[in-house]
Amino acid sequence: MRLKIFSIFALLLAAASCEKAEPDTLFCNLTLSASLPDGAAIVRMEVDKSLESTYMRNVNNRMEYDFPVFVNNRGALRVQKGVYLISFDAKATLQDGSIVRVRSSEHSNAERAVTLLGEREEITLNLTLLNQATKK
């Protein structure tokens, strides 16, 4: 009888001493920053979703995410943590009102993929200019 009471007491003590561990979140709040070679400021940039070469793909589970609209060189989205391939073409409006086509292909292959494991991450996307600026 004494053994049973001791066992129950030990189990209650063990259960009471367990702390609830805060679960790791599965998601990352990601900020994408766009950077042109000449340092020009992008007022607005929209990614061309119609191209096959446009993707933000989680390598681990093959899930793809839509790109946000970039405002003042930045765009934000929430993605599942993992390793990502990023590639796109976009139309960017600069501060002077001119419009340029740009490309991001820096992280488009497995060797240069981006690892997103934190709750908050920021990536700078170095853009390539595809054409000269045209006025609206």
Side-chain angles (χ1 to χ4, degrees):
M1 181 72 170
R2 198 181 242 186
L3 184 59
K4 283 185 183 180
I5 292 174
F6 179 73
S7 297
I8 292 171
F9 181 70
L11 285 173
L12 288 173
L13 187 62
S17 68
C18 290
E19 287 185 35
K20 245 186 183 177
E22 205 169 296
D24 288 338
T25 178
L26 294 175
F27 294 94
C28 171
N29 293 312
L30 176 62
T31 301
L32 299 171
S33 298
S35 176
L36 286 168
D38 63 357
I42 297 171
V43 174
R44 180 178 173 87
M45 181 172 74
E46 289 189 56
V47 172
D48 186 348
K49 298 175 186 175
S50 68
L51 301 174
E52 283 187 40
S53 61
T54 294
Y55 51 84
M56 180 157 182
R57 183 178 304 133
N58 185 319
V59 174
N60 306 53
N61 61 17
R62 309 283 297 161
M63 185 177 280
E64 293 199 13
Y65 292 87
D66 288 334
F67 287 93
V69 173
F70 288 69
V71 177
N72 296 327
N73 287 351
R74 293 180 162 301
L77 67 156
R78 185 173 165 96
V79 298
Q80 191 172 10
K81 291 179 181 178
V83 178
Y84 282 83
L85 300 177
I86 301 171
S87 176
F88 64 83
D89 283 10
K91 192 183 300 184
T93 304
L94 306 180
Q95 269 185 327
D96 65 1
S98 59
I99 298 172
V100 294
R101 292 217 30 100
V102 295
R103 175 171 292 156
S104 174
S105 59
E106 183 178 12
H107 305 291
S108 63
N109 61 48
E111 292 175 358
R112 298 174 71 192
V114 176
T115 302
L116 303 173
L117 297 177
E119 285 191 39
R120 296 190 184 284
E121 299 276 355
E122 183 167 343
I123 301 171
T124 299
L125 301 171
N126 296 310
L127 303 175
T128 302
L129 195 60
L130 297 179
N131 70 343
Q132 295 299 320
T134 56
K135 292 286 183 179
K136 274 189 171 179

